[in-house]
Amino acid sequence: MADKTNQLLFSDFPPVSTQAWMDKITADLKGADFEKKLVWRTNEGFNVQPFYRSEDLESLNYLESQPGEFPYVRGNNAKTNAWFVRQDIVVTDVKAANKKALTILTKGVDSLGFVFEDKALITDANIEALLENILSADVEINFYAAHGSKMLAQAVVATLKKMNRNLSEVKGSINFDPVGSITTKGKACVSIEEAFDRTKEMVEAAKLLPQFRTIGVNAKHFNNAGSSIVQELAFGLSMGNEYIAQLVERGVSVNDAASNLKFNFGISGNYFMEIAKLRAARLLWAKIVEAYKPTGVEVCKMQIHSETSEWNKTIFDPNVNMLRTQTEAMSASLGGTQSLTVQPYDSLYSESDEFSERIARNQQLLLKEECHFDKIVDASAGSYYIENLTNSIVEQAWSLFVQVEEKGGYIAALKEGFIQGLVKETADKRRKAVATRRENLLGTNQFPNTSEIISGDIDFSKLEKVCVSCEGDKVVEPIELFRAADQFESLRLATEKATKRPKVFMLTYGNLAMRLARSQFSGNFFGCAGYEIIDNLGFKTIEEGVEAAKAAKADIVVLCSADDEYAVAAPKAFELLGETPLVVAGAPACADELKAKGITNFVNVRSNVLETLKGFNEMILR
């Protein structure tokens, strides 16, 4: 018997051409338009095809690079995909924060983020107490201060010297980002020029710490303002480029400027697109830094910290947030992030407890210890789909980056309103997509748990976007940070606070399949406002259904039947119900006739769920 171990898999099968695939797809579509049915037009401004083949990679010129090689599209490291598991601690008591830090370091965390909201806490003595016994060179230490970042940098350096730490081994960062502050608040505590002078001072304050980065590039703000992935990347690159240009102008070397930047990206639920975003980010940043002619190419590596997005998180059915953050963590780790924060599922509306923080940590540890994502470098490499997504994001983000630079750079484009205008345009489109359920938030605008009551369980003050800002007029119009679910959540909270919870009665009649399908759709629809849904298996007559609805004291009655039955059934139900609103489930051909008879409420897949429910709230919750 011949040895077949060296034969290629499937070599006995003839190759199938792309045209053959297209012919088969065209036949199966039975005349339907290929572009409309199967091609996905993304928020990022490019089309995604339903399938890709090896020839789609032929034009990509970066595929020959290896992990750890310029332009680093395949990752910064050649042999490992390890990343730091980060957990942030808000510092209100330095000894308590130190105790918590030492505890979580034994539970899988190897990156700490200390958040100072009170400048008065930033002293040499407090930083020394905060870092007590945190000695390992394998632990990353990061800081954020609403004010006093320079004092913080100096205190950190002084403390590490006093602790006899090897300063060349200390890894970490201070998230000093005046450009990000201007973007989200519209102003900074000082003039823009002085803010860049302080940026130079931050670089100088930590010059003894070569692996410590003092400037944060918070592209995550765009993610949490509803931008597209391309916008987040392009504007983030432009922010980073602005910092380098301003620092170089102030006498800082390119190498020192670039090696002090850390990019903070938000990671959304767009799974494959987020993987491609981080790959594209490294490639483009490497090219940008290369243009400044630095010494060596190591400095061209982009240092990335990823955080799970707030934009798609919800306060209703919050356990779903764990599913969202898990896929986001997978995207970030497969994309090659250097560190990652998974926000606890309840962090939006409460002070996270030991359980929710443990779950958030373990989501990353599962990816490391059980899935071994840290062992495989650039696992998505060679995927026809992801390589094409990477290339499309590269092209679109570079084009947008160039537009910003042609306007004079990030600050100039921000003053002009160009950046805010594009973000708002995309955010408005996404708001509408959520309102019409073309972008789904499970448990909020789709498949809600109508029995859930949360008003007694959440801290509403945490839902408010509070910006610690300085006095003075706005320099620019800020971008708006918001969550996709906030308007739907307002509807449900209004229902919870109402003196009476509205009842929606499903008057199911006629065709069995249609009445069941439409009652399920309508129950899901009205459940998004937290109304009580009264479903029924079916009534023999309209009169019987109306009588049952009145007995149930229904506030809204939804007629669920087949299109051809509405012409007779709907007017009869409308007349018998009197003042009680009647809603027809579907978009029947006789809709205009029904409207002429006074029946104006219809719900179907083309309805704007949010606006429709707002109208009923105004009508009923008085």
Side-chain angles (χ1 to χ4, degrees):
M1 188 173 181
D3 181 9
K4 296 187 177 181
T5 57
N6 293 324
Q7 291 188 12
L8 294 174
L9 188 64
F10 298 135
S11 60
D12 290 340
F13 296 91
V16 180
S17 68
T18 300
Q19 187 58 50
W21 277 109
M22 286 299 298
D23 291 343
K24 175 60 176 171
I25 292 170
T26 301
D28 288 347
L29 285 173
K30 298 178 180 178
D33 187 276
F34 175 87
E35 293 287 331
K36 290 182 179 179
K37 284 286 185 180
L38 298 179
V39 176
W40 171 29
R41 180 67 177 177
T42 67
N43 289 329
E44 285 63 40
F46 57 85
N47 290 339
V48 173
Q49 298 299 318
F51 70 98
Y52 289 93
R53 292 169 58 80
S54 60
E55 59 256 37
D56 293 308
L57 302 184
E58 292 174 358
S59 62
L60 307 186
N61 56 17
Y62 61 80
L63 292 180
E64 296 303 317
S65 66
Q66 297 299 312
E69 293 181 358
F70 185 91
Y72 308 110
V73 65
R74 298 201 57 199
N76 289 350
N77 300 313
K79 297 181 179 180
T80 177
N81 189 45
W83 70 91
F84 285 104
V85 177
R86 178 165 159 183
Q87 183 173 332
D88 291 348
I89 300 171
V90 176
V91 180
T92 54
D93 179 297
V94 291
K95 290 189 179 297
N98 172 261
K99 182 179 179 181
K100 181 173 182 177
L102 293 173
T103 299
I104 64 178
L105 286 174
T106 67
K107 299 180 182 296
V109 166
D110 53 10
S111 176
L112 299 167
F114 294 111
V115 179
F116 286 88
E117 296 175 347
D118 183 358
K119 183 180 177 180
L121 288 172
I122 303 174
T123 65
D124 286 7
N126 278 346
I127 298 301
E128 184 177 349
L130 183 65
L131 297 182
E132 185 178 2
N133 295 323
I134 301 174
L135 300 173
S136 173
D138 295 325
V139 174
E140 190 184 59
I141 50 175
N142 305 276
F143 301 88
Y144 168 78
H147 298 288
S149 292
K150 182 181 176 181
M151 290 171 50
L152 179 57
Q154 292 169 335
V156 169
V157 172
T159 297
L160 293 172
K161 281 184 176 180
K162 189 173 182 179
M163 296 169 66
N164 293 318
R165 291 286 297 271
N166 184 338
L167 300 185
S168 65
E169 293 182 356
V170 176
K171 304 178 185 69
S173 67
I174 294 178
N175 190 358
F176 178 71
D177 182 19
V179 172
S181 295
I182 294 169
T183 302
T184 56
K185 302 171 189 174
K187 57 187 175 182
C189 296
V190 295
S191 69
I192 292 174
E193 286 301 311
E194 189 175 345
F196 285 122
D197 290 340
R198 292 187 179 185
T199 305
K200 177 186 177 182
E201 292 173 1
M202 288 295 295
V203 172
E204 293 172 341
K207 63 184 178 182
L208 296 178
L209 305 175
Q211 297 193 65
F212 199 85
R213 295 172 181 255
T214 56
I215 305 165
V217 181
N218 288 289
K220 67 176 183 178
H221 295 322
F222 299 107
N223 186 294
N224 290 320
S227 77
S228 71
I229 282 173
V230 161
Q231 288 168 347
E232 179 190 8
L233 177 52
F235 298 148
L237 292 169
S238 186
M239 291 168 81
N241 188 53
E242 185 82 45
Y243 276 124
I244 289 187
Q246 294 288 346
L247 287 170
V248 168
E249 187 177 305
R250 285 163 173 74
V252 178
S253 72
V254 173
N255 284 58
D256 286 346
S259 61
N260 267 277
L261 298 185
K262 174 179 275 192
F263 285 79
N264 299 309
F265 286 110
I267 305 296
S268 73
N270 200 334
Y271 182 71
F272 293 111
M273 201 78 76
E274 290 290 356
I275 295 172
K277 178 183 77 179
L278 297 189
R279 301 175 88 243
R282 287 192 297 272
L283 185 153
L284 290 174
W285 183 244
K287 296 290 188 181
I288 290 169
V289 176
E290 182 189 35
Y292 283 92
K293 303 187 183 306
T295 302
V297 294
E298 280 289 310
V299 73
C300 297
K301 291 180 178 179
M302 175 185 267
Q303 189 79 10
I304 298 175
H305 174 67
S306 300
E307 296 182 17
T308 53
S309 176
E310 283 191 11
W311 192 83
N312 61 344
K313 302 308 181 293
T314 62
I315 62 175
F316 283 94
D317 212 349
N319 289 347
V320 180
N321 290 334
M322 286 187 270
L323 303 179
R324 297 180 178 116
T325 54
Q326 189 64 66
T327 65
E328 291 161 5
M330 290 174 69
S331 293
S333 56
L334 289 173
T337 192
Q338 276 67 63
S339 57
L340 172 61
T341 298
V342 172
Q343 298 292 352
Y345 71 94
D346 60 351
S347 61
L348 286 176
Y349 58 86
S350 70
E351 294 298 329
S352 298
D353 57 18
E354 185 177 346
F355 173 77
S356 59
E357 290 183 352
R358 177 190 174 201
I359 292 295
R361 289 192 301 269
N362 286 351
Q363 286 180 272
Q364 293 196 58
L365 297 180
L366 283 169
L367 298 180
K368 281 192 169 187
E369 304 301 330
E370 297 193 22
C371 303
H372 306 296
F373 279 17
D374 58 334
K375 303 294 192 297
I376 310 299
V377 181
D378 196 20
S380 57
S383 161
Y384 304 153
Y385 178 49
I386 294 179
E387 294 291 9
N388 274 276
L389 285 185
T390 301
N391 186 61
S392 294
I393 293 173
V394 164
E395 291 177 348
Q396 295 295 317
W398 182 253
S399 175
L400 184 53
F401 171 81
V402 169
Q403 289 182 59
V404 173
E405 294 308 302
E406 287 175 344
K407 292 181 179 296
Y410 184 85
I411 295 296
L414 200 67
K415 288 180 176 179
E416 183 183 317
F418 174 76
I419 290 169
Q420 304 94 312
L422 289 182
V423 172
K424 185 179 186 302
E425 181 182 348
T426 301
D428 287 346
K429 289 179 181 177
R430 296 188 71 188
R431 276 192 189 274
K432 185 176 180 181
V434 171
T436 55
R437 299 202 290 199
R438 287 183 291 109
E439 190 162 344
N440 289 330
L441 293 170
L442 186 65
T444 299
N445 73 344
Q446 192 71 275
F447 307 118
N449 176 3
T450 57
S451 64
E452 183 180 17
I453 304 295
I454 67 165
S455 55
D457 301 325
I458 70 171
D459 179 359
F460 286 95
S461 65
K462 286 207 71 179
L463 297 176
E464 299 173 4
K465 294 291 182 185
V466 179
C467 289
V468 180
S469 191
C470 306
E471 295 181 359
D473 296 330
K474 291 180 180 177
V475 179
V476 300
E477 186 66 29
I479 62 173
E480 179 191 0
L481 304 180
F482 71 99
R483 288 182 302 108
D486 56 10
Q487 292 180 304
F488 275 96
E489 290 168 350
S490 295
L491 285 174
R492 289 202 55 176
L493 289 169
T495 300
E496 287 190 15
K497 294 175 184 177
T499 54
K500 176 192 173 186
R501 185 184 182 194
K503 294 181 179 180
V504 182
F505 187 92
M506 301 298 153
L507 201 169
T508 49
Y509 168 78
N511 183 285
L512 177 62
M514 292 305 300
R515 77 190 190 210
L516 291 178
R518 284 177 164 162
S519 67
Q520 289 174 355
F521 172 85
S522 302
N524 184 23
F525 190 106
F526 284 97
C528 293
Y531 297 168
E532 180 183 348
I533 307 301
I534 304 173
D535 206 352
N536 300 280
L537 293 177
F539 297 96
K540 293 180 180 178
T541 65
I542 292 296
E543 289 83 356
E544 181 185 344
V546 170
E547 184 178 342
K550 289 181 176 180
K553 298 182 179 180
D555 298 285
I556 302 170
V557 175
V558 184
L559 180 60
C560 304
S561 189
D563 286 1
D564 58 358
E565 293 172 309
Y566 281 138
V568 174
K572 184 180 294 185
F574 181 68
E575 181 182 352
L576 293 172
L577 285 168
E579 295 298 317
T580 304
L582 174 69
V583 179
V584 174
C590 62
D592 289 340
E593 298 173 21
L594 298 180
K595 290 176 183 177
K597 296 179 180 180
I599 301 170
T600 57
N601 297 313
F602 297 81
V603 295
N604 50 66
V605 293
R606 292 188 294 275
S607 297
N608 186 311
V609 183
L610 180 66
E611 293 303 320
T612 301
L613 293 177
K614 280 183 177 179
F616 279 107
N617 262 17
E618 292 173 3
M619 182 191 310
I620 297 171
L621 302 183
R622 295 177 179 174

